[in-house]
Amino acid sequence: MTETESIAYDVVVLGAGPVGENVADRTRAAGLSTAVVESELVGGECSYWACMPSKALLRPVIAQADARRLPGLSQAVQGPLDTAAVLARRNEYTSHWKDDGQARWLDGIGAYLHRGHGRLAGPRTVTVTGTDGETKTLTARHAVAVSTGTRALLPDLPGLADVKPWTSREATAAQAAPGRLIVVGGGVVATEMATAWQALGSRVTLLVRGKGLLSRMEPFAGELVAEALTEAGVDVRTGTSVESVTRQNGTVVAITDAGDRIEADEILFATGRAPRTDDIGLDTIGLEPGSWLPVDDSLRVTGSDWLYAVGDVNHRALLTHQGKYQARIAGAAIAARACGVPILETAPWGAHAATADHHAVPQVVFTDPEAAAVGLSLAEAEQAGHRVRAVDVEFSSVAGAGLYADGYRGRARMIVDLDEEILRGVTFVGPGVGELIHSATIAVAGRVPVNRLWHAVPSYPTISEVWLRLLEAYRDV
């Protein structure tokens, strides 16, 4: 290994996923010289192994499911999906796992891309080791932002490495549908990939250790998704743990805690995430390698005046869109401090405070039906000490839902703070509800009074009339 050069920048960003790209975009917009370090592909996990490929796999599945609910169209779409065509479109959306376009974008905003493995080497210092073994030293005048994301967390099962299990990466990048697939987990990745691969021709068994699916959402969300998966042909088994996994003559054999033997061609573990901080030099600045990085609301790492942790690595909200939001806040805070602004706007909802991380995090699960939520669930609101009421309505009461699809099934819930008369959270479950969640996000983030929501008139006949049904149900209690 040889050291060839040392370069100084105002800001150094570790990780060129969507979060790192957005940090760089904001600091460059403020006129700060910015270097971005990436060891894999510019665009990161979301572009190549998560958000984009998974939604490209799921969109034809959902479109076909919707079409099958419409007389006059249902008979035309009863056959199987063209799996090869779906996978080819997915490949297009990942740019065939090439990052030329995103690298050009970084160049276009004036950021400097350094390819190689970046590690902290003390305060405001990053070394970058390229594939040729040569090392560059980058120094940051103002800030280093860690945006290295997370990796799949595999359980500690003997011999698991020999089985070569799928993680989210293999599940979203596979070039053929396995005949039989075991999915272990009950969260977003597990339910979405069970939805996709069952529709693309796999026989899926979903093993869930807990009592139900999507445990971070309202209980009815997981119940409705589980019902639909079962109807689609997925073998959903809750309260089930995997005790051992082996691969025998190419076949995966999983043994459950109940002693059941399940055979498959592949097994996907979607059982959590771990921060990609184990080999980025945290020990050189007194932090624990492999740890999450706690931050304040300006995304600055606790106890530091120069180190920021943005996106998944801070463990606040492991969602691409939330990480990009944090990146905008962090970029603004870095720029303000670099310019000597004496007092930042760090009060809740200020320009330099990622307040939405605490109160208004939206998420959509792209299953059939979709599940979408923002803010607090009923249980979370009660645990936080709020005096609240849950208001529930069925989508069957909404004309737009019936027009959308025959037999439309779904439910909506809003959590009303009875003292402040605002919404603490909203959950929708049903076909197409992912497009409703931003209205709920505005209501929650904007702390819009319930009385004012009466004046936000939903168009008729749209699914968004569910808002009127919710308000009527609240009034009539």
Side-chain angles (χ1 to χ4, degrees), residues 1 115-119 127-136:
M1 182 184 300
R115 293 188 182 272
H117 189 89
R119 296 178 181 85
T127 60
V128 183
T129 305
T131 56
D132 58 3
E134 294 194 347
T135 300
K136 299 176 183 178

Side-chain angles (χ1 to χ4, degrees), residues 152-379:
L153 183 63
L154 291 171
D156 186 18
L157 288 175
L160 183 60
D162 296 331
V163 174
K164 296 182 179 178
W166 278 11
T167 67
S168 53
R169 284 197 169 196
E170 290 78 16
T172 56
Q175 295 299 320
R180 300 163 299 173
L181 174 65
I182 298 170
V183 179
V184 183
V188 178
V189 172
T191 54
E192 287 188 347
M193 290 299 92
T195 299
W197 288 111
Q198 177 72 29
L200 291 171
S202 301
R203 189 164 73 249
V204 176
T205 302
L206 181 60
L207 305 180
V208 187
R209 183 171 58 183
K211 295 180 180 179
L213 307 181
L214 303 176
S215 60
R216 295 179 181 272
M217 288 186 165
E218 298 283 8
F220 66 81
E223 291 166 5
L224 289 170
V225 170
E227 288 174 11
L229 283 170
T230 300
E231 289 176 5
V234 176
D235 181 2
V236 180
R237 306 186 191 186
T238 58
T240 302
S241 296
V242 176
E243 295 294 309
S244 68
V245 182
T246 57
R247 191 180 285 272
Q248 303 170 10
N249 299 318
T251 297
V252 173
V253 178
I255 305 299
T256 72
D257 54 350
D260 294 332
R261 174 189 173 96
I262 306 171
E263 295 186 357
D265 300 289
E266 301 291 350
I267 184 167
L268 162 63
F269 281 91
T271 50
R273 308 290 296 181
R276 289 182 179 272
T277 59
D278 50 307
D279 190 21
I280 61 167
L282 291 183
D283 54 307
T284 69
I285 55 171
L287 297 176
E288 182 67 27
S291 64
W292 303 99
L293 297 176
V295 295
D296 62 21
D297 278 353
S298 72
L299 289 311
R300 191 164 59 176
V301 172
T302 304
S304 173
D305 63 357
W306 59 273
L307 184 65
Y308 292 73
V310 191
D312 286 6
V313 290
N314 61 39
H315 208 226
R316 287 164 68 107
L318 276 64
L319 296 160
T320 296
H321 50 270
Q322 210 67 21
K324 292 166 70 173
Y325 160 73
Q326 292 176 10
R328 296 189 290 272
I329 299 295
I334 290 168
R337 287 173 175 135
C339 293
V341 175
I343 301 176
L344 271 61
E345 298 176 39
T346 55
W349 309 109
H352 308 116
T355 313
D357 288 353
H358 307 297
H359 304 291
V361 175
Q363 181 174 20
V364 179
V365 185
F366 292 86
T367 47
D368 175 37
E370 291 177 349
V374 63
L376 302 179
S377 66
L378 174 60

Side-chain angles (χ1 to χ4, degrees), residues 371-446:
V374 63
L376 302 179
S377 66
L378 174 60
E380 290 169 338
E382 291 175 340
Q383 289 167 8
H386 301 298
R387 194 169 68 91
V388 296
R389 176 186 298 158
V391 181
D392 294 337
V393 299
E394 299 294 323
F395 273 98
S396 57
S397 65
V398 180
L403 288 168
Y404 187 94
D406 283 5
Y408 188 109
R409 286 186 297 171
R411 187 181 304 175
R413 168 175 286 184
M414 68 178 186
I415 307 299
V416 182
D417 186 308
L418 298 175
D419 295 317
E420 298 191 46
E421 284 283 304
I422 60 172
L423 303 187
R424 291 290 178 183
V426 180
T427 299
F428 301 123
V429 182
V433 298
E435 296 299 336
L436 288 181
I437 200 61
H438 192 58
S439 59
T441 302
I442 292 170
V444 174

